[in-house]
Amino acid sequence: MMDEFAKFYFCLGSGHPAEQALNVPAHLSPLFGVMANLIDLPNDGRLFSETKPVVCCLIKAWEDELGMRFNWEDINSLYDNVSVSSDPPSIWGVREKNPVFTLLMHPMLLYGELQISPQYTALIPFLFRRVRQCYNQVEGATDSYLYSLSMAARKLVIGAPRLQLSPKFNWQYEFKLFLATSAMQEKINNTVEITSAPEWTYISDLLFRDRKKLRKGGGGHSGKRQSRWLLYERGCGPALINNGDLGCDFQELESDSDCFSPDNKGKLERESFLHPDADKKLLESGGEDDVDYVHDHELTLPASWFSDPWTAKRKMRGKQEAMLASERILPWDLKCLSMMTIRSVLAQCLVRQAEPWRAILGMGLLTGSGEKGMKKIRTGMLTKDGDPCGELTEKLLQRGRFYIPEKRQLWWLNFRGAENVDGYLNVPLIVRLDLPRTITRHLPADGEQQGLVFTKNDFTKAKTFLKRLGEDGLSVPSLRRLQITFEALFVHGAGMPELLADHLQERRRNHLTSQHFYVSIPWSYAVCEWSRMVGAFLRTPKTSISELLKKMKFRAVSEVVDGLEFIGAAKTPDPKALKRHSKLLLSTIPNSQGKLLIASAAQWNAYVSYLYLLLASCTGRRPQRDPFPLFSDFDLVAGNLYIDDKWNRKFKESRVVPLCPTLLQAMKNHLQIHNKQFMRWKREGYSSDVPVNQIFLVDESSKALVEVTPSNLDRLTHLTTEQGCFEGLGNGCRHFLLTRLHNVGIPQEAIDLISGHRHVAREPEMSTSLLSWSISAQWLSDTIEREIVQYLGLKVPFTNA
């Protein structure tokens, strides 16, 4: 039995040096040898008393997998009879190969008295097996390779709560990809990602491939650069001390890569940088001398870590005027190619003789891809199951793009993650783009030869052809001008949304950075619409630009149909779920003022929940951060709402948004009954945690009037998901509003007036804008009434009768 158990977890060896240090009884020595080697127990025996939950979890998984029974009496006897004669004062600084240290010390893994949360009972055995299996099967693997695998496993555990794991699940490719991207998106205090590029290799080894040799520079090195992890350890350390779970000696964290430590106070101004030993020159260099935080030449360190945010190296030069200038295009007659030159380029794309340099011309003109992005595209190969192979997956995790010849598709990962939970719009993790035949006829026909799609020689040929066309306007055609022509014709001329163009071009415009986090684009529809635009562009004979743009005009989607896939932001509620939610709440609420004044606590809470839904869906405020606004924030005469918003680096933002007619009337009706209801519950002996001039919820269990927050709504509404109630709504209404307005074709500047994302200085409320705020607000009010209120079937909750 012990042999089968050891083989199942790829555990080798029997005796262990810690046996003498822990005074293991002789009859338990064989069992201790297997367990100690399995969990790589340190030679002095530290950690052993904390490992029982993990060992029991491993045994239970082995029993479930093989249908065998383990001798549990021996396990209990082993942990009861083994005593550590002299425990080290701290176990936090263990810097050696130890999967138990890797998986056990993360506070989210444990609760109570070192018990493993049920959601990890399937994850831990899988990672233990994979760590050992990879280490044993790789030729020449060192202890540092085992340590790096274990560190990757720990980061997978940290990212796992995003997936709402259950005790039992299958290990299909899609799930493992969700797990990997969740770990890669995890951040230290919402600022620095805990994973860096070298660690993606070990994550790929654990989840996707079974390689036998370590290629040079491809894994198995010392793995000493763990600066990000040290930041995470320090961020979690105080919480562990306060909970009394583990002792922590921060002196043990010192290393040659030990650098800076963030705090958990949010983006507020600091007196100085936190680390007491931080060198001034190191600060000025952004920490690059020791710590690798650089991703695609973006911000080196979070600006909020500095007393002056603008001293951070490689800061976004991002003043609004600079962004405005950088995103403007020059007039067409200066940069956009003429129709004659465009036809010459298309003629090369339509040549049947396959040459990759012609595909470069096609991708630049029809997708707007830049030279830098096209140089990174690789050829990908799928497995027999239709999933990406291990090498392809590793590059996908590194945000690479792949061309799949057998499907004639371009694949990449949706960088905002995925969503496949009922009640939310379906956002797949892998994005697939069907390329037109005009491009694919010049691309590789099979994926056997994996590597870059385009060589340096291909780009040279493409540039040479463009130069031979001669001057067009003020300069000769170039790959950059092909990209500008796509912007001019497809985006600014035919009306393709800039967010959609960003996804096609593998870029993020400065003024759209925030929108990528909130807007979900109907990808299935958008790709079909883009294909139609490309077809109209290719089939149009010699004609004027105005006629061409008329045929290419982008048509916005008006209705979300079943089976539609989205790209971009996750956690955007499905409109069908919101309709069910609002219908259920309306059916619970008394339909007249008199009945609502004598309503029960459950009915009142349902009414407040409905007002919450109506307000969040029509104004775009962040309800998850703030309770319901004060009445003094409403101007019910002018029909406006003042929103005191979040801190943005050094200053606090605020904005005024219009109220649509339905919301305006609902708030006017509420003001007529608010004081009466407040005094009614006070007379019944309820205490109040909210001001008099703010909407409240009734908590019968504590006999208190509490503020309106998403958690309180879920707790006090007393409606179930089976009935149609939407729990955990959070900021979902804000996501839905911005997504709906974007997808029906509302200009981005108008959406920014609602969302508060001021980045380009051309929004109506900015001093550099030529638009009238009042006219824009009235137009937005009418648009929200039509596209949100009427679309979701919302209405004023009660009459004054």
Side-chain angles (χ1 to χ4, degrees):
M1 179 184 65
M2 291 301 301
D3 291 340
E4 286 81 0
F5 179 80
K7 290 179 180 178
F8 181 78
Y9 286 106
F10 302 94
C11 175
L12 303 177
S14 54
H16 194 277
E19 183 176 337
Q20 183 176 0
L22 296 177
N23 300 320
V24 178
H27 68 284
L28 296 177
S29 178
L31 175 62
F32 175 81
V34 171
M35 295 303 171
N37 282 287
L38 172 64
I39 61 180
D40 286 319
L41 190 68
N43 292 342
D44 57 7
R46 72 173 76 183
L47 291 174
F48 183 72
S49 59
E50 284 82 14
T51 60
K52 185 175 181 180
V54 173
V55 169
C56 293
C57 178
L58 298 178
I59 295 175
K60 186 65 169 62
W62 173 78
E63 291 181 335
D64 294 341
E65 183 73 18
L66 301 183
M68 303 177 67
R69 293 293 298 171
F70 202 90
N71 191 342
W72 286 95
E73 293 182 0
D74 288 348
I75 289 293
N76 295 327
S77 177
L78 176 64
Y79 279 92
D80 291 341
N81 292 300
V82 169
S83 60
V84 181
S85 56
S86 58
D87 278 336
S90 169
I91 60 175
W92 195 268
V94 178
R95 301 280 297 173
E96 55 193 14
K97 56 183 185 69
N98 194 298
V100 170
F101 168 77
T102 297
L103 297 177
L104 186 64
M105 296 306 144
H106 178 52
M108 293 189 68
L109 178 63
L110 308 172
Y111 68 89
E113 297 180 357
L114 291 177
Q115 296 179 353
I116 297 178
S117 174
Q119 65 181 1
Y120 295 100
T121 55
L123 181 61
I124 289 176
F126 172 82
L127 292 176
F128 259 77
R129 289 195 69 193
R130 287 298 299 164
V131 167
R132 275 295 179 182
Q133 184 179 7
C134 292
Y135 175 69
N136 290 340
Q137 71 186 11
V138 170
E139 181 181 343
T142 62
D143 287 349
S144 60
Y145 178 61
L146 178 61
Y147 172 79
S148 297
L149 288 174
S150 300
M151 187 61 70
R154 182 169 187 180
K155 296 184 179 184
L156 289 172
V157 170
I158 290 172
R162 292 173 175 262
L163 304 178
Q164 299 178 350
L165 296 179
S166 59
K168 292 185 178 180
F169 46 81
N170 57 55
W171 285 98
Q172 294 179 353
Y173 177 85
E174 185 176 8
F175 175 83
K176 291 191 287 187
L177 199 59
F178 287 159
L179 185 61
T181 53
S182 296
M184 293 168 62
Q185 292 171 4
E186 188 69 29
K187 294 183 178 181
I188 308 164
N189 290 344
N190 296 320
T191 52
V192 179
E193 295 176 349
I194 64 173
T195 58
S196 56
E199 290 162 323
W200 298 339
T201 296
Y202 305 111
I203 291 176
S204 299
D205 284 356
L206 285 175
L207 298 179
F208 304 108
R209 62 187 174 196
D210 292 308
R211 57 176 175 171
K212 302 299 187 292
K213 298 181 68 176
L214 296 176
R215 65 181 184 271
K216 186 177 181 180
H221 286 241
S222 62
K224 295 295 185 182
R225 292 177 66 82
Q226 299 293 343
S227 304
R228 295 167 186 259
W229 187 251
L230 290 177
L231 291 175
Y232 189 88
E233 300 273 301
R234 290 193 165 189
C236 295
L240 289 174
I241 295 174
N242 294 337
N243 293 337
D245 292 337
L246 299 170
C248 177
D249 182 7
F250 284 107
Q251 295 298 321
E252 298 188 22
L253 288 176
E254 293 180 356
S255 69
D256 55 354
S257 61
D258 190 9
C259 194
F260 308 134
S261 169
D263 66 6
N264 55 1
K265 297 180 181 178
K267 295 185 176 181
L268 300 178
E269 184 175 353
R270 322 286 202 260
E271 288 292 330
S272 61
F273 211 67
L274 294 175
H275 199 288
D277 301 324
D279 183 80
K280 185 176 180 181
K281 293 182 178 180
L282 200 59
L283 283 177
E284 293 174 351
S285 72
E288 290 185 337
D289 291 347
D290 268 347
V291 189
D292 176 21
Y293 291 134
V294 184
H295 268 298
D296 298 330
H297 305 289
E298 292 180 357
L299 191 65
T300 306
L301 290 176
S304 61
W305 290 9
F306 294 81
S307 58
D308 178 4
W310 304 111
T311 61
K313 190 178 180 183
R314 293 190 189 142
K315 61 179 179 292
M316 303 299 288
R317 290 178 299 189
K319 307 299 192 300
Q320 293 162 340
E321 294 79 6
M323 290 185 180
L324 176 64
S326 67
E327 295 301 332
R328 293 293 192 187
I329 65 168
L330 292 174
W332 290 5
D333 60 340
L334 295 181
K335 284 294 185 179
C336 181
L337 297 176
S338 65
M339 291 304 298
M340 182 179 296
T341 302
I342 291 174
R343 293 190 189 101
S344 299
V345 173
L346 290 177
Q348 289 296 322
C349 297
L350 296 174
V351 172
R352 293 188 177 276
Q353 181 181 357
E355 293 190 64
W357 67 269
R358 294 190 170 102
I360 293 176
L361 299 178
M363 292 194 67
L365 186 59
L366 301 179
T367 69
S369 299
E371 180 179 355
K372 182 179 178 181
M374 287 189 285
K375 284 182 176 179
K376 299 178 182 179
I377 300 177
R378 294 176 172 269
T379 303
M381 186 172 62
L382 304 181
T383 64
K384 294 180 181 180
D385 299 328
D387 298 324
C389 62
E391 297 296 327
L392 170 55
T393 300
E394 181 181 354
K395 297 299 181 182
L396 282 174
L397 292 174
Q398 297 177 25
R399 295 188 173 94
R401 291 199 171 197
F402 275 81
Y403 174 67
I404 311 298
E406 58 190 274
K407 294 184 176 294
R408 297 179 181 176
Q409 291 177 335
L410 199 63
W411 285 21
W412 68 92
L413 288 187
N414 182 32
F415 74 94
R416 288 305 306 150
E419 185 59 70
N420 58 355
V421 178
D422 292 341
Y424 293 95
L425 296 179
N426 178 30
V427 181
L429 192 55
I430 296 181
V431 182
R432 299 171 175 86
L433 174 65
D434 292 297
L435 295 176
R437 182 61 178 160
T438 309
I439 297 176
T440 58
R441 62 160 50 99
H442 301 294
L443 295 177
D446 61 74
E448 293 296 331
Q449 298 295 330
Q450 297 189 53
L452 295 174
V453 173
F454 304 117
T455 64
K456 185 177 181 181
N457 189 40
D458 294 330
F459 286 97
T460 301
K461 290 182 178 180
K463 293 176 182 178
T464 301
F465 166 76
L466 292 173
K467 289 181 180 179
R468 287 177 180 173
L469 294 178
E471 284 195 2
D472 184 3
L474 297 180
S475 62
V476 297
S478 62
L479 294 179
R480 173 59 181 159
R481 289 189 66 183
L482 287 179
Q483 190 178 19
I484 292 174
T485 302
F486 171 84
E487 291 281 321
L489 298 180
F490 282 80
V491 180
H492 299 281
M496 174 186 287
E498 289 178 308
L499 278 176
L500 173 59
D502 271 7
H503 288 291
L504 291 176
Q505 297 172 291
E506 193 181 3
R507 64 178 292 194
R508 270 189 279 179
R509 302 161 207 259
N510 288 333
H511 67 282
L512 296 180
T513 300
S514 299
Q515 282 74 2
H516 279 287
F517 288 82
Y518 290 100
V519 175
S520 303
I521 299 174
W523 183 245
S524 306
Y525 176 86
V527 169
C528 292
E529 190 63 14
W530 169 74
S531 300
R532 184 194 62 78
M533 297 171 69
V534 169
F537 184 62
L538 295 175
R539 290 192 297 269
T540 301
K542 296 181 180 181
T543 184
S544 64
I545 286 184
S546 60
E547 289 296 323
L548 174 62
L549 296 180
K550 187 183 298 183
K551 295 182 179 180
M552 290 175 57
K553 182 175 175 59
F554 187 87
R555 299 173 300 193
V557 62
S558 58
E559 182 66 38
V560 176
V561 298
D562 292 335
L564 204 61
E565 288 187 348
F566 286 74
I567 185 177
K571 289 297 180 185
T572 300
D574 190 322
K576 293 182 179 178
L578 291 180
K579 290 176 182 179
R580 290 194 301 267
H581 182 66
S582 63
K583 187 177 180 179
L584 174 64
L585 293 174
L586 280 174
S587 66
T588 310
I589 302 170
N591 57 5
S592 68
Q593 183 184 108
K595 293 180 180 179
L596 190 59
L597 286 172
I598 59 173
S600 64
Q603 290 175 318
W604 175 262
N605 291 338
Y607 161 72
V608 173
S609 181
Y610 183 81
L611 275 186
Y612 167 94
L613 173 68
L614 184 60
L615 181 72
S617 300
C618 297
T619 63
R621 65 184 301 275
R622 296 177 173 89
Q624 192 162 356
R625 189 186 63 86
D626 294 326
F628 214 94
L630 300 172
F631 295 147
S632 57
D633 293 334
F634 289 92
D635 183 350
L636 299 183
V637 176
N640 299 324
L641 169 65
Y642 170 77
I643 297 178
D644 188 15
D645 216 334
K646 66 177 184 178
W647 281 86
N648 185 355
R649 296 193 185 277
K650 294 279 285 187
F651 58 90
K652 196 171 186 180
E653 292 184 341
S654 61
R655 64 188 186 277
V656 177
V657 299
L659 301 178
C660 64
T662 298
L663 176 58
L664 179 61
Q665 187 60 50
M667 290 307 303
K668 287 180 178 179
N669 289 356
H670 177 81
L671 283 180
Q672 298 178 14
I673 67 170
H674 177 80
N675 289 338
K676 296 178 182 178
Q677 278 290 75
F678 187 86
M679 295 308 300
R680 169 199 166 188
W681 294 107
K682 292 291 289 183
R683 285 194 300 269
E684 294 184 13
Y686 281 71
S687 61
S688 176
D689 298 332
V690 295
V692 178
N693 62 340
Q694 190 176 38
I695 296 179
F696 57 87
L697 290 166
V698 179
D699 187 353
E700 291 184 299
S701 61
S702 63
K703 290 189 71 66
L705 307 182
V706 298
E707 63 183 11
V708 182
T709 62
S711 59
N712 284 339
L713 286 170
D714 290 341
R715 181 172 59 90
L716 300 175
T717 302
H718 300 303
L719 297 174
T720 64
T721 54
E722 289 76 12
Q723 294 174 289
C725 182
F726 199 124
E727 294 184 357
L729 196 55
N731 285 342
C733 293
R734 174 180 168 85
H735 287 220
F736 173 77
L737 171 65
L738 303 187
T739 293
R740 176 67 180 171
L741 293 179
H742 178 274
N743 292 336
V744 298
I746 304 302
Q748 190 61 55
E749 290 84 354
I751 298 176
D752 290 345
L753 187 152
I754 289 289
S755 67
H757 294 148
R758 294 186 291 267
H759 293 287
V760 192
R762 60 191 189 193
E763 294 82 8
E765 71 269 32
M766 301 302 293
S767 59
T768 56
S769 174
L770 299 178
L771 299 175
S772 165
W773 184 91
S774 59
I775 295 177
S776 301
Q778 181 59 51
W779 175 73
L780 265 176
S781 174
D782 297 339
T783 301
I784 291 173
E785 181 72 20
R786 180 181 67 255
E787 298 295 344
I788 302 297
V789 175
Q790 296 179 12
Y791 178 67
L792 293 179
L794 303 176
K795 59 182 181 181
V796 179
F798 68 89
T799 63
N800 290 328

